[in-house]
Coordinates of all heavy atoms in Angstrom, one line a residue:
D1 N 8.0 28.2 8.7 CA 7.3 28.2 7.5 C 7.3 26.8 7.0 O 8.3 26.2 6.6 CB 7.9 29.2 6.5 CG 7.1 29.3 5.3 OD1 6.1 28.7 5.1 OD2 7.5 30.2 4.4
L2 N 6.1 26.1 6.9 CA 6.0 24.7 6.5 C 5.5 24.6 5.0 O 5.2 23.5 4.6 CB 5.1 24.0 7.4 CG 5.7 23.8 8.8 CD1 4.7 23.1 9.7 CD2 7.0 23.1 8.8
Y3 N 5.5 25.7 4.3 CA 5.0 25.6 2.9 C 5.9 24.7 2.1 O 5.4 23.9 1.3 CB 5.0 27.0 2.2 CG 3.7 27.7 2.6 CD1 3.8 28.7 3.5 CD2 2.5 27.4 2.1 CE1 2.6 29.4 3.9 CE2 1.3 28.1 2.4 CZ 1.4 29.1 3.3 OH 0.3 29.7 3.7
D4 N 7.2 24.7 2.2 CA 8.1 23.8 1.4 C 7.8 22.4 1.7 O 7.8 21.5 0.9 CB 9.5 24.1 1.6 CG 10.0 25.3 0.8 OD1 9.3 25.7 -0.2 OD2 11.0 25.9 1.2
F5 N 7.5 22.1 3.0 CA 7.2 20.7 3.4 C 5.8 20.3 2.8 O 5.7 19.2 2.3 CB 7.1 20.6 4.9 CG 6.6 19.2 5.4 CD1 7.4 18.1 5.2 CD2 5.4 19.1 6.0 CE1 7.0 16.9 5.6 CE2 4.9 17.9 6.4 CZ 5.7 16.7 6.2
L6 N 4.8 21.1 2.9 CA 3.5 20.8 2.4 C 3.4 20.6 0.9 O 2.7 19.8 0.4 CB 2.5 21.8 2.9 CG 2.3 21.9 4.4 CD1 1.4 23.1 4.7 CD2 1.7 20.7 4.9
I7 N 4.2 21.5 0.2 CA 4.1 21.5 -1.3 C 5.2 20.5 -1.9 O 4.9 19.8 -2.8 CB 4.3 22.9 -1.8 CG1 3.1 23.7 -1.4 CG2 4.4 22.9 -3.3 CD1 3.2 25.2 -1.7
R8 N 6.4 20.6 -1.4 CA 7.5 19.8 -2.0 C 8.0 18.7 -1.1 O 8.9 17.9 -1.6 CB 8.6 20.8 -2.3 CG 8.3 21.8 -3.3 CD 9.4 22.8 -3.6 NE 8.9 23.9 -4.3 CZ 8.4 25.0 -3.8 NH1 8.3 25.1 -2.5 NH2 7.9 26.0 -4.5
G9 N 7.6 18.5 0.1 CA 8.1 17.5 1.0 C 9.4 17.8 1.6 O 10.1 16.9 2.1
V10 N 9.9 19.0 1.5 CA 11.2 19.4 2.1 C 11.0 19.9 3.5 O 10.3 20.9 3.7 CB 11.9 20.5 1.2 CG1 13.2 20.9 1.8 CG2 12.1 20.0 -0.2
M11 N 11.6 19.3 4.5 CA 11.3 19.6 5.9 C 12.5 20.4 6.4 O 13.7 19.8 6.4 CB 11.1 18.4 6.7 CG 10.8 18.6 8.1 SD 9.2 19.5 8.3 CE 9.0 19.5 10.0
P12 N 12.3 21.6 6.9 CA 13.5 22.3 7.6 C 13.8 21.7 8.9 O 12.9 21.0 9.5 CB 12.9 23.7 7.8 CG 11.4 23.5 7.8 CD 11.1 22.4 7.0
S13 N 15.0 21.8 9.4 CA 15.4 21.3 10.7 C 15.7 22.4 11.6 O 16.9 22.8 11.8 CB 16.5 20.3 10.5 OG 17.6 21.0 9.9
P14 N 14.6 23.1 12.2 CA 14.9 24.2 13.1 C 15.5 23.7 14.4 O 15.3 22.6 14.8 CB 13.5 24.8 13.3 CG 12.6 23.6 13.2 CD 13.2 22.7 12.1
Q15 N 16.3 24.6 15.0 CA 16.9 24.3 16.3 C 16.2 25.3 17.3 O 16.3 26.5 17.2 CB 18.4 24.6 16.2 CG 19.1 23.8 15.2 CD 19.1 22.3 15.6 OE1 19.3 21.9 16.8 NE2 18.8 21.4 14.7
F16 N 15.7 24.7 18.3 CA 15.0 25.4 19.4 C 15.9 25.4 20.6 O 16.6 24.4 20.9 CB 13.6 24.9 19.7 CG 12.7 25.0 18.6 CD1 12.3 23.8 17.9 CD2 12.1 26.2 18.2 CE1 11.4 23.9 16.8 CE2 11.2 26.3 17.2 CZ 10.9 25.1 16.5
A17 N 15.8 26.5 21.4 CA 16.5 26.6 22.7 C 15.5 27.0 23.8 O 14.5 27.5 23.5 CB 17.6 27.6 22.6
D18 N 15.9 26.8 25.0 CA 15.1 27.2 26.1 C 14.7 28.7 26.0 O 15.6 29.5 25.7 CB 15.8 26.9 27.4 CG 15.8 25.4 27.8 OD1 15.0 24.7 27.2 OD2 16.6 25.1 28.7
G19 N 13.5 29.0 26.2 CA 13.1 30.4 26.2 C 12.6 30.9 24.8 O 12.1 32.0 24.6
D20 N 12.8 30.0 23.7 CA 12.3 30.4 22.4 C 10.8 30.5 22.4 O 10.1 29.8 23.2 CB 12.7 29.4 21.4 CG 14.2 29.5 21.0 OD1 14.8 30.4 21.4 OD2 14.7 28.6 20.3
A21 N 10.2 31.3 21.6 CA 8.8 31.5 21.4 C 8.4 31.1 20.0 O 9.1 31.5 19.1 CB 8.3 32.9 21.8
I22 N 7.3 30.4 19.8 CA 6.8 30.1 18.5 C 5.6 31.0 18.3 O 4.6 31.0 19.0 CB 6.4 28.6 18.4 CG1 7.6 27.8 18.6 CG2 5.8 28.3 17.0 CD1 7.3 26.3 18.7
V23 N 5.6 31.8 17.2 CA 4.6 32.7 16.9 C 3.8 32.2 15.7 O 4.4 32.0 14.7 CB 5.1 34.2 16.6 CG1 4.0 35.1 16.3 CG2 5.9 34.7 17.9
V24 N 2.5 32.0 15.8 CA 1.7 31.6 14.7 C 0.8 32.7 14.3 O 0.1 33.3 15.0 CB 0.8 30.4 15.2 CG1 -0.1 29.9 14.0 CG2 1.7 29.2 15.7
G25 N 1.0 33.1 13.0 CA 0.2 34.2 12.4 C -1.2 33.8 12.0 O -1.6 32.6 12.0
R26 N -2.0 34.7 11.7 CA -3.4 34.5 11.3 C -3.4 33.8 10.0 O -2.6 34.0 9.1 CB -4.1 35.9 11.1 CG -5.5 35.8 10.8 CD -6.1 37.1 10.7 NE -6.0 37.9 11.9 CZ -7.1 38.1 12.7 NH1 -8.3 37.7 12.3 NH2 -6.9 38.8 13.8
R27 N -4.3 32.8 9.8 CA -4.4 32.1 8.6 C -5.0 32.9 7.5 O -5.9 33.8 7.7 CB -5.3 30.9 8.8 CG -5.4 30.0 7.6 CD -6.1 28.7 7.9 NE -7.5 28.9 7.9 CZ -8.4 27.9 7.9 NH1 -8.0 26.6 8.2 NH2 -9.7 28.1 7.8
G28 N -4.4 32.8 6.3 CA -4.9 33.5 5.2 C -6.1 32.9 4.5 O -6.6 31.9 5.0
P29 N -6.5 33.4 3.3 CA -7.6 32.8 2.6 C -7.3 31.4 2.3 O -6.2 31.0 1.9 CB -7.7 33.7 1.4 CG -6.7 34.7 1.4 CD -5.9 34.5 2.6
V30 N -8.4 30.5 2.4 CA -8.2 29.1 2.1 C -9.1 28.7 1.0 O -10.3 29.1 0.9 CB -8.6 28.3 3.4 CG1 -8.5 26.8 3.2 CG2 -7.7 28.7 4.5
V31 N -8.6 27.8 0.1 CA -9.3 27.2 -1.0 C -9.5 25.7 -0.7 O -8.4 25.0 -0.4 CB -8.6 27.4 -2.3 CG1 -9.4 26.7 -3.4 CG2 -8.5 28.9 -2.6
A32 N -10.7 25.1 -0.7 CA -10.9 23.7 -0.5 C -10.9 23.0 -1.8 O -11.6 23.4 -2.7 CB -12.2 23.5 0.3
L33 N -10.0 21.9 -1.9 CA -10.0 21.1 -3.1 C -10.8 19.8 -2.8 O -10.4 19.1 -1.9 CB -8.6 20.8 -3.5 CG -7.7 22.0 -3.8 CD1 -6.2 21.5 -4.0 CD2 -8.2 22.8 -4.9
R34 N -11.9 19.6 -3.5 CA -12.7 18.4 -3.2 C -13.2 17.9 -4.6 O -13.1 18.6 -5.6 CB -13.9 18.7 -2.4 CG -13.5 19.1 -1.0 CD -14.8 19.4 -0.2 NE -15.2 20.7 -0.5 CZ -16.3 21.3 0.0 NH1 -16.9 20.7 1.0 NH2 -16.6 22.5 -0.3
G35 N -13.7 16.7 -4.6 CA -14.2 16.1 -5.8 C -13.2 15.4 -6.7 O -12.4 14.6 -6.1
A36 N -13.2 15.7 -8.0 CA -12.3 15.0 -8.9 C -10.9 15.7 -8.9 O -10.4 16.2 -9.9 CB -12.9 15.0 -10.3
V37 N -10.2 15.6 -7.7 CA -8.9 16.1 -7.6 C -8.0 15.0 -7.1 O -8.5 14.1 -6.5 CB -8.8 17.3 -6.6 CG1 -9.5 18.5 -7.2 CG2 -9.3 16.9 -5.3
P38 N -6.7 15.0 -7.5 CA -5.8 13.9 -7.1 C -5.8 13.7 -5.5 O -5.8 12.6 -5.1 CB -4.4 14.4 -7.5 CG -4.7 15.3 -8.6 CD -6.0 16.0 -8.3
V39 N -5.7 14.8 -4.8 CA -5.7 14.7 -3.3 C -6.5 15.8 -2.7 O -6.2 17.0 -2.9 CB -4.2 14.9 -2.8 CG1 -4.1 14.8 -1.3 CG2 -3.3 13.9 -3.5
P40 N -7.6 15.5 -2.0 CA -8.4 16.5 -1.4 C -7.5 17.3 -0.4 O -6.7 16.7 0.3 CB -9.5 15.8 -0.7 CG -9.6 14.4 -1.3 CD -8.2 14.2 -1.8
A41 N -7.7 18.6 -0.4 CA -6.8 19.4 0.5 C -7.4 20.8 0.8 O -8.3 21.2 0.1 CB -5.5 19.6 -0.2
L42 N -7.0 21.4 1.8 CA -7.2 22.8 2.1 C -5.9 23.6 1.7 O -4.9 23.2 2.3 CB -7.6 23.1 3.5 CG -8.9 22.6 4.0 CD1 -9.1 22.8 5.5 CD2 -10.0 23.3 3.2
I43 N -6.0 24.5 0.8 CA -4.8 25.3 0.4 C -4.9 26.7 0.9 O -5.9 27.4 0.6 CB -4.7 25.3 -1.1 CG1 -4.7 23.9 -1.7 CG2 -3.4 26.0 -1.6 CD1 -3.5 23.0 -1.3
E44 N -3.9 27.1 1.7 CA -3.9 28.5 2.2 C -3.1 29.3 1.2 O -2.0 29.0 0.9 CB -3.2 28.6 3.6 CG -3.2 30.0 4.1 CD -2.5 30.1 5.4 OE1 -2.1 29.0 6.0 OE2 -2.3 31.2 5.9
M45 N -3.7 30.4 0.8 CA -3.1 31.3 -0.2 C -2.4 32.4 0.6 O -2.8 32.9 1.6 CB -4.1 31.9 -1.2 CG -5.0 30.8 -1.9 SD -4.0 29.6 -2.8 CE -3.3 30.5 -4.1
R46 N -1.2 32.7 0.1 CA -0.4 33.8 0.8 C -0.9 35.2 0.5 O -0.8 36.0 1.4 CB 1.1 33.7 0.3 CG 1.7 32.4 0.7 CD 3.2 32.4 0.3 NE 3.8 31.1 0.6 CZ 5.1 31.0 0.7 NH1 5.9 32.0 0.5 NH2 5.6 29.8 1.0
E47 N -1.5 35.4 -0.6 CA -2.0 36.8 -0.9 C -3.5 36.9 -0.6 O -4.2 35.9 -0.8 CB -1.7 37.1 -2.4 CG -0.2 37.0 -2.8 CD 0.6 38.0 -2.1 OE1 0.1 39.2 -1.8 OE2 1.8 37.7 -1.8
P48 N -3.9 38.0 -0.2 CA -5.4 38.2 0.0 C -6.2 38.0 -1.2 O -7.4 37.6 -1.2 CB -5.5 39.6 0.6 CG -4.3 40.3 0.3 CD -3.2 39.2 0.0
T49 N -5.7 38.3 -2.4 CA -6.4 38.1 -3.7 C -5.6 37.2 -4.5 O -4.3 37.2 -4.5 CB -6.6 39.4 -4.4 OG1 -5.4 40.0 -4.7 CG2 -7.5 40.4 -3.6
F50 N -6.2 36.2 -5.2 CA -5.5 35.2 -6.0 C -6.4 34.8 -7.1 O -7.6 35.1 -7.2 CB -5.1 34.0 -5.1 CG -6.2 33.4 -4.3 CD1 -7.1 32.5 -4.9 CD2 -6.5 33.9 -3.1 CE1 -8.1 31.9 -4.2 CE2 -7.6 33.4 -2.3 CZ -8.4 32.4 -2.9
T51 N -5.8 34.2 -8.1 CA -6.5 33.7 -9.3 C -6.6 32.2 -9.3 O -5.9 31.5 -8.5 CB -5.7 34.2 -10.6 OG1 -4.5 33.5 -10.6 CG2 -5.5 35.7 -10.6
G52 N -7.4 31.7 -10.2 CA -7.4 30.2 -10.4 C -6.1 29.6 -10.7 O -5.7 28.5 -10.3
A53 N -5.3 30.4 -11.5 CA -3.9 29.9 -11.9 C -3.1 29.8 -10.6 O -2.3 28.8 -10.5 CB -3.3 30.8 -12.9
D54 N -3.2 30.7 -9.7 CA -2.5 30.6 -8.4 C -2.8 29.3 -7.7 O -1.9 28.7 -7.1 CB -2.8 31.8 -7.5 CG -2.3 33.1 -8.1 OD1 -1.3 33.1 -8.9 OD2 -2.9 34.1 -7.8
V55 N -4.1 29.0 -7.7 CA -4.5 27.7 -7.0 C -3.9 26.5 -7.7 O -3.4 25.6 -7.1 CB -6.0 27.6 -6.9 CG1 -6.5 26.3 -6.3 CG2 -6.6 28.8 -6.1
L56 N -4.0 26.5 -9.0 CA -3.5 25.4 -9.8 C -2.0 25.1 -9.6 O -1.5 24.0 -9.7 CB -3.7 25.6 -11.3 CG -5.2 25.5 -11.7 CD1 -5.4 25.9 -13.2 CD2 -5.8 24.2 -11.4
D57 N -1.2 26.2 -9.3 CA 0.2 26.1 -9.0 C 0.5 25.3 -7.8 O 1.6 24.8 -7.7 CB 0.9 27.5 -8.9 CG 1.0 28.1 -10.3 OD1 1.0 27.5 -11.3 OD2 1.2 29.4 -10.3
V58 N -0.4 25.2 -6.8 CA -0.1 24.6 -5.5 C -0.9 23.3 -5.3 O -0.8 22.7 -4.2 CB -0.3 25.5 -4.4 CG1 0.7 26.7 -4.5 CG2 -1.7 26.1 -4.3
I59 N -1.7 22.8 -6.3 CA -2.5 21.6 -6.1 C -1.5 20.4 -5.9 O -0.6 20.3 -6.7 CB -3.4 21.4 -7.3 CG1 -4.5 22.4 -7.3 CG2 -4.0 20.0 -7.2 CD1 -5.4 22.3 -8.4
P60 N -1.7 19.6 -4.9 CA -0.8 18.5 -4.7 C -1.0 17.5 -5.9 O -2.1 17.3 -6.3 CB -1.3 17.8 -3.4 CG -2.1 18.9 -2.7 CD -2.6 19.8 -3.8
E61 N 0.1 16.9 -6.3 CA 0.1 15.9 -7.4 C -0.4 14.6 -6.8 O -0.2 14.3 -5.6 CB 1.4 15.8 -8.0 CG 1.9 17.0 -8.7 CD 3.2 16.7 -9.4 OE1 3.6 15.6 -9.6 OE2 3.9 17.7 -9.7
R62 N -0.9 13.7 -7.7 CA -1.3 12.4 -7.3 C 0.0 11.6 -7.0 O 1.0 11.8 -7.7 CB -2.0 11.7 -8.5 CG -2.4 10.3 -8.2 CD -3.1 9.6 -9.4 NE -4.3 10.3 -9.8 CZ -5.5 10.2 -9.2 NH1 -5.6 9.4 -8.2 NH2 -6.5 10.9 -9.7
P63 N 0.0 10.8 -5.9 CA 1.2 10.0 -5.6 C 1.6 9.2 -6.8 O 0.7 8.6 -7.5 CB 0.8 9.2 -4.4 CG -0.4 9.9 -3.9 CD -1.1 10.6 -5.0
R64 N 2.9 9.1 -7.1 CA 3.4 8.3 -8.3 C 3.7 6.9 -7.9 O 3.7 6.1 -8.8 CB 4.5 9.1 -8.9 CG 4.1 10.4 -9.4 CD 5.2 11.1 -10.1 NE 4.7 12.4 -10.5 CZ 5.5 13.4 -10.9 NH1 6.7 13.3 -11.0 NH2 4.9 14.6 -11.3
A65 N 4.2 6.7 -6.7 CA 4.6 5.3 -6.3 C 3.4 4.5 -5.9 O 2.5 5.0 -5.1 CB 5.6 5.3 -5.2
N66 N 3.2 3.3 -6.3 CA 2.1 2.5 -5.8 C 2.6 1.2 -5.1 O 1.8 0.4 -4.6 CB 1.1 2.1 -7.0 CG 1.8 1.4 -8.1 OD1 2.9 0.9 -8.0 ND2 1.1 1.3 -9.2
E67 N 3.9 1.0 -5.1 CA 4.5 -0.1 -4.4 C 5.9 0.3 -3.9 O 6.7 0.9 -4.7 CB 4.6 -1.3 -5.3 CG 5.1 -2.6 -4.6 CD 5.2 -3.7 -5.6 OE1 4.4 -3.8 -6.5 OE2 6.0 -4.6 -5.3
V68 N 6.2 -0.1 -2.7 CA 7.6 0.1 -2.2 C 8.1 -1.2 -1.7 O 7.5 -2.0 -1.0 CB 7.6 1.1 -1.0 CG1 9.0 1.3 -0.4 CG2 7.0 2.4 -1.4
T69 N 9.3 -1.6 -2.2 CA 10.0 -2.8 -1.8 C 11.3 -2.5 -1.1 O 12.1 -1.7 -1.7 CB 10.2 -3.7 -3.1 OG1 9.0 -3.9 -3.7 CG2 10.8 -5.0 -2.7
V70 N 11.5 -3.1 0.0 CA 12.8 -2.8 0.7 C 13.7 -4.0 0.6 O 13.3 -5.2 0.7 CB 12.5 -2.5 2.2 CG1 13.8 -2.2 3.0 CG2 11.6 -1.3 2.3

C-alpha cells in the first residue's frame, strides 16, 4: 500500500523473499487535478462513491522549500 508514501512521503520498507508474489488490485475511481492546483495529479479514491470534501483531503500541498543548502 503506497498511499502513505504518495500522500505523506512515508515509505514502508517491505521485505521480500524468494517465491513471494505481488498482487495488484483493480484501480478505483480516479479524480484528475489540473489547472489552478498546487500540483497536478491523478488521485485514486478508495471508496466507489466520494464527495468533493474527500478529494480536498488528499490534494497534494504546494512544496514549501524553494532552496536546499548542504
Side-chain angles (χ1 to χ4, degrees):
D1 187 355
L2 294 177
Y3 279 104
D4 282 338
F5 174 69
L6 296 172
I7 295 172
R8 295 178 194 89
V10 177
M11 183 66 176
S13 53
Q15 299 295 315
F16 295 106
D18 286 342
D20 285 353
I22 299 173
V23 178
V24 178
R26 184 180 298 253
R27 185 169 83 172
V30 176
V31 175
L33 302 175
R34 294 182 281 185
V37 294
V39 179
L42 288 176
I43 305 295
E44 180 183 357
M45 304 307 291
R46 292 184 183 201
E47 301 297 325
T49 57
F50 52 89
T51 66
D54 295 331
V55 175
L56 291 175
D57 285 342
V58 296
I59 291 177
E61 294 182 19
R62 179 180 302 280
R64 295 182 183 168
N66 57 14
E67 180 179 340
V68 176
T69 305
V70 180

